[in-house]
Amino acid sequence: MNLEELRKKRPLVHHITNEVVMNFSANGLLAFGGSPVMAKEKEEVEEIARVAGALVLNIGTIRKEDIETMIKAGQAANKTGVPVLLDPVGAGATTFRKQAVQRIVKEVDVSVVKGNAGEIAALADIPLKVKGVDADEDGDAVEIAAEAAKRMQTMVVVTGKTDVVSDGEDFTTSSRGTPLLGSITGAGCLLGSIMAACMAIEKDKKGAALFALEFYNKAAERAETKAEGPGTFVPHLLDELAKAYD
Amino acid sequence: MNLEELRKKRPLVHHITNEVVMNFSANGLLAFGGSPVMAKEKEEVEEIARVAGALVLNIGTIRKEDIETMIKAGQAANKTGVPVLLDPVGAGATTFRKQAVQRIVKEVDVSVVKGNAGEIAALADIPLKVKGVDADEDGDAVEIAAEAAKRMQTMVVVTGKTDVVSDGEDFTTSSRGTPLLGSITGAGCLLGSIMAACMAIEKDKKGAALFALEFYNKAAERAETKAEGPGTFVPHLLDELAKAYD
Amino acid sequence: MNLEELRKKRPLVHHITNEVVMNFSANGLLAFGGSPVMAKEKEEVEEIARVAGALVLNIGTIRKEDIETMIKAGQAANKTGVPVLLDPVGAGATTFRKQAVQRIVKEVDVSVVKGNAGEIAALADIPLKVKGVDADEDGDAVEIAAEAAKRMQTMVVVTGKTDVVSDGEDFTTSSRGTPLLGSITGAGCLLGSIMAACMAIEKDKKGAALFALEFYNKAAERAETKAEGPGTFVPHLLDELAKAYD
């Protein structure tokens, strides 16, 4: 992953995403070096997805009519080789959500699925109890990532105390970051946006995902040293995302 | 109200709320110790409301189709004894809004209604002039709270320079806080989320409401001492909400 | 433009705007001295637009059904002489967006159109390449502003490294501000809200627009001196917008 190249190209990342985190995701992606576009009208999503560097589908506040829109955008992205990142927010919380995201995975060729253990388990039908969308999950994240990647035949990123990237065959873990990431909304969603931007530049999906994960967690660690709590953590995290680390 | 218990249980607060404040409400509730879920698809709201610790209905950016969704969620909450907090944002601003919120109050058993004097007056058909959703209101807040509580037979919280909690029989006032709360959007909405989280833990509704009010206002007072204006007030308020006060 | 008068009257600015920036626009407008209302239900927008001080139509996350809503609000504003500011976010990005905004301009008497060079060029059918909604645009901003103002017979504000205000006959440029404004989402949208608030108070549209532009850019320059990056820039910008400059 070449960060300088990314910041020069400023890849367009098309988001059909959740309303809670739109502003934070956009500012975080801008800070990192990408160019966010958030468009969700069915009539225009294909036109945007087609020319984007990557597409993010995040079901955090999905409505019934959005399923079709996400599929249209996803299929348009697939046709022109635009990588698609799926964030199955709260997939285990309701039947509607689980069915929605399973339908998306079936109809769209998703490059990477990123979520917490509970969300990934629900999506891939691996039994696990879920509590809310921001809750920490028990269970073996490595096992869930590997099993889900096999079942869905795609790369899977499970976030949590330990983050896991797996393509079904091998896996890499990372235990960086800070608990403050769990105390703000949209921390995982923004990681998804940054990962998508990396995939727009770097063909090696796993390399892109790991770079995004490490960069994001390092930025969070540095932001933590400047923050006095979850509130001041947010602007500092955005500041740190705009910097370069080696 | 036992704050330690709340922070241990992290009650799930289901929001069907206004798009302007979603991020701020979610971050504020997370800081305080709750677990926000924002879902608004009609097909899934019953499933979530049923298992939530509390339900917040906030009409700030309501659309026609949301009325039905809010009623479905509210009735599901009622069936399992989940407390419902209603925030009638801008209820006096339009006929549509007033009718929407009056219909919700009629069809859902609301545990507490929280708003400024103008909003509460409009909802309860007590004559008063309203200007905008963030405007300070004149009028006797105590009188409005008591009269509205009687008419709607529920607990009413009127926020303003003086905050009033009334169940129609007696009332309690609080004059803490800072004018900075009036200079940011969603300060009242976030108070509602925190109040709802307290009601998820504490059966005594009035005790829960008063605890939330006092805690929130104290946090705001402390944040004010660190802020240089309304912009820096926001992250400091979120930091303070994450702390413990005695 | 009399800022003291504005802050005393706190003009109501009705927004039908994009979901990414709602919170930032509301907080920025509150800091500056206006009173934001964000309502988008077709049944109520006329009632609000009619009594507002100004109306902002921003197509950033527009859906098909919003076009009709914006036109209804715009026409209601027109009937009572309420100034209308149009922000054609991403107008050049898709056919849907371009047609939507061109229809709005045709059916509503817009007082001022504010956008970057690419958006204004797309709206006025002046050939230019656009890349994303936050991208800097090449091309002669002065020429585009003047030509667009002539074609649409309205005042046009083109933002960028140099900001241009033109009524089709003469023009004024301003090169203040900071590149940090380009590194956060919604900087242009908030400028639109502030400009609309000024137009609610000051009948001289050009005077109002120039005052807003200068005030906003000065606030941004001061915020830049306090910021450590795009993240901390945001709260400092909001703080500065709440101050008075001479």
Side-chain angles (χ1 to χ4, degrees):
Chain A
M1 242 309 295
N2 188 331
L3 182 59
E4 288 72 34
E5 188 194 349
L6 184 145
R7 286 180 170 172
K8 203 174 162 190
K9 290 192 177 170
R10 303 198 70 78
L12 204 65
V13 180
H14 180 196
H15 292 70
I16 303 181
T17 192
N18 111 46
E19 295 164 359
V20 184
V21 305
M22 279 180 155
N23 188 273
F24 180 55
S25 294
N27 274 333
L29 180 58
L30 278 166
F32 178 65
S35 194
V37 172
M38 309 217 165
K40 54 178 192 172
E41 164 52 44
K42 204 188 275 186
E43 288 196 15
E44 71 172 351
V45 293
E46 291 171 299
E47 200 174 339
I48 296 178
R50 211 178 282 141
V51 300
L55 172 65
V56 171
L57 303 177
N58 176 316
I59 68 159
T61 53
I62 196 171
R63 277 194 166 160
K64 211 173 172 183
E65 63 265 33
D66 301 323
I67 302 173
E68 211 62 58
T69 307
M70 288 191 182
I71 290 172
K72 277 188 91 168
Q75 291 180 341
N78 285 167
K79 270 182 204 152
T80 47
V82 173
V84 180
L85 181 142
L86 174 68
D87 196 334
V89 180
T94 66
T95 308
F96 165 74
R97 229 163 247 252
K98 186 171 170 176
Q99 287 177 346
V101 79
Q102 288 185 335
R103 202 179 138 210
I104 292 167
V105 162
K106 202 175 163 190
E107 302 204 22
V108 175
D109 185 4
V110 171
S111 311
V112 55
V113 180
K114 183 212 67 60
N116 63 35
E119 293 160 351
I120 299 296
L123 169 57
D125 270 327
I126 304 168
L128 184 79
K129 283 172 191 168
V130 182
K131 186 207 167 200
V133 295
D134 285 310
D136 269 343
E137 302 301 333
D138 296 312
D140 190 339
V142 169
E143 209 173 301
I144 289 166
E147 180 63 21
K150 259 183 233 160
R151 289 189 187 196
M152 296 188 289
Q153 303 198 345
T154 189
M155 193 170 76
V156 169
V157 179
V158 173
T159 56
K161 278 163 201 159
T162 301
D163 302 311
V164 185
V165 178
S166 175
D167 57 10
E169 305 206 337
D170 62 8
F171 66 88
T172 311
T173 62
S174 165
S175 297
R176 302 198 63 146
T178 147
L180 276 174
L181 285 172
S183 70
I184 60 168
T185 194
C189 302
L190 173 52
L191 172 61
S193 300
I194 286 173
M195 217 170 250
C198 290
M199 292 196 308
I201 298 298
E202 172 60 56
K203 294 294 163 200
D204 169 18
K205 290 197 302 182
K206 199 171 179 182
L210 286 170
F211 178 85
L213 206 52
E214 287 291 309
F215 188 93
Y216 191 66
N217 282 335
K218 272 189 225 171
E221 287 172 8
R222 299 202 188 197
E224 186 184 29
T225 65
K226 301 186 174 180
E228 295 160 48
T232 46
F233 176 63
V234 167
H236 287 302
L237 175 59
L238 295 172
D239 278 359
E240 295 300 322
L241 287 172
K243 295 181 183 168
Y245 301 115
D246 28 60
Chain B
M1 242 307 296
N2 188 330
L3 182 59
E4 288 73 35
E5 190 194 347
L6 185 145
R7 287 179 171 172
K8 204 174 161 192
K9 290 192 177 169
R10 304 198 71 78
L12 204 65
V13 180
H14 180 196
H15 292 71
I16 304 182
T17 191
N18 112 46
E19 295 164 0
V20 183
V21 305
M22 280 179 154
N23 188 271
F24 181 55
S25 295
N27 274 333
L29 180 58
L30 278 166
F32 179 66
S35 194
V37 171
M38 309 217 165
K40 53 178 193 171
E41 164 52 43
K42 203 187 279 186
E43 288 196 16
E44 71 172 350
V45 291
E46 291 170 299
E47 201 174 338
I48 297 179
R50 211 176 283 142
V51 300
L55 171 66
V56 171
L57 303 177
N58 175 316
I59 68 159
T61 52
I62 197 172
R63 277 193 165 161
K64 212 175 172 181
E65 62 265 33
D66 301 323
I67 302 173
E68 211 62 58
T69 307
M70 288 190 183
I71 290 171
K72 279 189 89 167
Q75 291 179 342
N78 286 167
K79 270 181 204 155
T80 47
V82 173
V84 179
L85 182 142
L86 174 67
D87 196 335
V89 180
T94 67
T95 308
F96 164 75
R97 231 163 245 253
K98 187 172 169 174
Q99 288 176 347
V101 81
Q102 288 184 335
R103 204 181 136 209
I104 292 168
V105 163
K106 202 176 162 189
E107 303 204 21
V108 176
D109 184 5
V110 171
S111 312
V112 56
V113 180
K114 184 214 63 65
N116 63 36
E119 292 161 352
I120 298 296
L123 170 57
D125 270 326
I126 304 168
L128 184 77
K129 283 172 190 166
V130 182
K131 184 206 170 199
V133 295
D134 285 309
D136 268 343
E137 303 301 334
D138 295 311
D140 191 339
V142 169
E143 209 173 300
I144 288 166
E147 179 63 20
K150 258 182 235 160
R151 291 190 186 196
M152 296 188 289
Q153 302 196 347
T154 188
M155 194 171 75
V156 170
V157 179
V158 173
T159 56
K161 278 163 201 160
T162 300
D163 302 311
V164 186
V165 178
S166 175
D167 56 9
E169 305 206 338
D170 62 6
F171 65 88
T172 310
T173 62
S174 165
S175 297
R176 301 197 64 145
T178 147
L180 276 175
L181 286 172
S183 70
I184 59 167
T185 195
C189 303
L190 174 52
L191 172 61
S193 299
I194 286 173
M195 216 169 253
C198 290
M199 294 197 306
I201 299 298
E202 173 58 57
K203 293 294 163 201
D204 169 17
K205 288 197 304 181
K206 199 171 179 181
L210 286 170
F211 177 86
L213 207 51
E214 288 291 308
F215 188 93
Y216 191 66
N217 283 335
K218 273 189 224 168
E221 287 172 8
R222 298 202 188 196
E224 186 184 27
T225 65
K226 301 187 174 179
E228 294 161 49
T232 47
F233 176 63
V234 168
H236 286 302
L237 176 59
L238 295 171
D239 279 0
E240 294 301 323
L241 287 172
K243 295 181 184 168
Y245 301 116
D246 26 62
Chain C
M1 243 307 295
N2 188 331
L3 182 59
E4 287 73 33
E5 190 195 347
L6 184 145
R7 287 179 171 172
K8 204 175 161 191
K9 291 193 178 169
R10 303 198 72 78
L12 204 66
V13 180
H14 179 197
H15 293 70
I16 304 181
T17 192
N18 112 45
E19 295 163 0
V20 184
V21 305
M22 280 179 154
N23 187 272
F24 180 55
S25 295
N27 274 334
L29 181 58
L30 278 166
F32 179 65
S35 194
V37 172
M38 309 217 165
K40 56 180 191 168
E41 164 52 44
K42 205 188 276 185
E43 288 195 16
E44 71 172 351
V45 293
E46 290 171 299
E47 201 175 337
I48 297 179
R50 212 178 280 142
V51 301
L55 172 65
V56 171
L57 304 176
N58 176 316
I59 67 159
T61 51
I62 196 172
R63 276 192 167 162
K64 211 174 172 181
E65 62 265 33
D66 301 322
I67 302 174
E68 212 62 59
T69 306
M70 288 191 182
I71 290 171
K72 278 189 91 168
Q75 291 179 342
N78 285 167
K79 270 182 203 153
T80 47
V82 172
V84 179
L85 181 142
L86 174 68
D87 196 334
V89 180
T94 66
T95 308
F96 165 75
R97 229 163 246 253
K98 186 171 170 175
Q99 287 176 347
V101 80
Q102 288 184 336
R103 204 181 135 208
I104 292 168
V105 162
K106 201 176 162 189
E107 303 204 20
V108 176
D109 185 5
V110 171
S111 311
V112 54
V113 180
K114 184 213 66 62
N116 65 35
E119 292 161 352
I120 299 295
L123 169 57
D125 270 327
I126 304 168
L128 185 79
K129 283 172 191 166
V130 182
K131 184 208 171 200
V133 294
D134 284 310
D136 269 342
E137 302 302 333
D138 296 314
D140 191 339
V142 170
E143 208 173 299
I144 288 166
E147 180 63 21
K150 257 184 233 159
R151 290 188 186 196
M152 297 188 287
Q153 302 196 347
T154 189
M155 194 170 75
V156 169
V157 178
V158 173
T159 56
K161 278 164 201 158
T162 301
D163 302 311
V164 186
V165 178
S166 175
D167 57 9
E169 303 205 339
D170 62 7
F171 66 87
T172 310
T173 62
S174 165
S175 297
R176 301 197 64 146
T178 146
L180 275 174
L181 285 171
S183 70
I184 60 168
T185 195
C189 303
L190 173 52
L191 171 61
S193 299
I194 286 173
M195 217 170 251
C198 291
M199 293 197 306
I201 299 297
E202 172 60 57
K203 294 294 163 200
D204 169 17
K205 290 197 302 182
K206 198 171 180 180
L210 286 170
F211 178 86
L213 207 51
E214 288 291 308
F215 188 94
Y216 191 66
N217 282 334
K218 273 189 224 169
E221 287 171 8
R222 297 203 189 195
E224 185 185 28
T225 65
K226 301 186 172 179
E228 294 160 49
T232 47
F233 176 62
V234 167
H236 286 303
L237 176 59
L238 295 171
D239 278 358
E240 295 300 322
L241 287 172
K243 295 181 183 168
Y245 301 116
D246 26 62

